Amino acid sequence: MVNKDKYKNFFDVLENNFQIAEYVAKKFVEFCEIIQQSNEHFNLTSIKKMDDMLIKHILDSLSIQHLVSGRKILDIGTGAGLPGVPLALANTESDFFLLDSNNKKIIFLNHVKIILGIENIFPEHERVENLDGKRSFDTIVCRSFSSLAKIYLRTKNLKKNEGTIIAMKGKFPKDELEELQTLDSKVRLHVEKLKIPGLEADRHAVIIY
């Protein structure tokens, strides 16, 4: 049972910044508790404290919520389910396919799906380059996955014509952007600075159209 008073500041941030309902906010806390409980066995994160997890995992993931659109969303290199699980809890009308090459992470995510009753996540043990070419997605997201050029090369054929690729980065990725534009001078992209309440570190999203 999640103690709302204990996480009042977190709940307030979710309501004021992301319009997240209380029952969903409790799911976020439960998700982080499961990560804590399973971390030693599955090696999910170096972040151990709950307050840090809520900011660096949940709020960070939700910072791209306004950029995600469509029914079919692919999260590549999802790891512990980031940003896919928080986004799925906040966007129940979309289906989130959580891809990772590490099967232990997929076992963990199937456990999360059952425990939290998240019907719109579909964990999948596979490398992105091995995905069936017939599959396509409205939005492709990734967090700390690879360089922009590698992300683009591995996912451009999985994106629907009007879809987007959203790569989450830390500091403004000047060198990676130059590498990507050298690779494909016609690529259409936009970089947005992200604001995560409680986090002072630089965060950016690169949106590739």
Side-chain angles (χ1 to χ4, degrees):
M1 189 73 176
V2 174
N3 184 340
K4 181 182 176 182
D5 292 336
K6 183 178 179 180
Y7 301 105
K8 184 180 184 304
N9 289 340
F10 175 66
F11 278 38
D12 288 345
V13 168
L14 288 176
E15 182 179 358
N16 296 331
N17 292 270
F18 302 103
Q19 290 74 56
I20 298 293
E22 182 180 316
Y23 77 94
V24 178
K26 290 180 178 180
K27 293 274 189 181
F28 290 146
V29 176
E30 291 172 352
F31 174 48
C32 288
E33 288 176 343
I34 296 172
I35 292 177
Q36 279 187 325
Q37 295 161 7
S38 307
N39 195 33
E40 184 175 348
H41 180 69
F42 291 102
N43 191 26
L44 300 167
T45 180
S46 60
I47 299 171
K48 305 294 176 64
K49 295 181 179 179
M50 176 61 73
D51 288 344
D52 291 337
M53 282 190 180
L54 295 175
I55 294 172
K56 296 179 180 180
H57 287 339
I58 304 303
L59 298 183
D60 185 66
S61 295
L62 292 176
S63 68
I64 63 166
Q65 182 182 358
H66 64 292
L67 300 171
V68 175
S69 62
R71 180 62 189 271
K72 292 180 66 178
I73 316 298
L74 175 66
D75 177 8
I76 59 173
T78 189
L82 304 163
V85 169
L87 290 173
L89 285 168
N91 300 274
T92 56
E93 295 183 359
S94 297
D95 291 332
F96 287 77
F97 298 83
L98 311 183
L99 198 72
D100 205 281
S101 61
N102 186 326
N103 195 43
K104 287 184 71 173
K105 303 295 194 297
I106 299 304
I107 292 170
F108 167 75
L109 289 171
N110 279 314
H111 173 68
V112 168
K113 179 174 182 172
I114 293 169
I115 296 299
L116 295 184
I118 311 175
E119 297 182 356
N120 63 326
I121 63 169
F122 304 91
E124 189 169 341
H125 176 220
E126 187 57 272
R127 302 184 70 86
V128 64
E129 54 265 35
N130 295 335
L131 280 188
D132 186 346
K134 295 180 181 179
R135 297 170 67 179
S136 60
F137 301 87
D138 299 294
T139 305
I140 298 169
V141 301
C142 60
R143 183 177 184 252
S144 304
F145 177 69
S146 188
S147 69
L148 292 174
K150 290 180 179 178
I151 292 167
Y152 177 65
L153 287 173
R154 293 176 184 178
T155 61
K156 64 178 182 177
N157 292 328
L158 299 172
K159 178 179 71 67
K160 291 183 179 180
N161 288 337
E162 301 301 319
T164 56
I165 302 165
I166 304 170
M168 300 181 72
K169 295 289 180 178
K171 293 181 179 180
F172 187 86
K174 180 177 181 291
D175 293 342
E176 290 189 28
L177 288 166
E178 291 176 354
E179 181 187 17
L180 174 58
Q181 290 170 321
T182 299
L183 176 70
D184 185 349
S185 61
K186 295 182 180 179
V187 66
R188 294 170 52 232
L189 57 83
H190 170 70
V191 182
E192 181 172 319
K193 186 174 178 61
L194 302 173
K195 293 183 179 179
I196 295 90
L199 186 65
E200 295 182 1
D202 286 342
R203 297 292 286 154
H204 293 83
V206 179
I207 305 99
I208 304 172
Y209 301 97

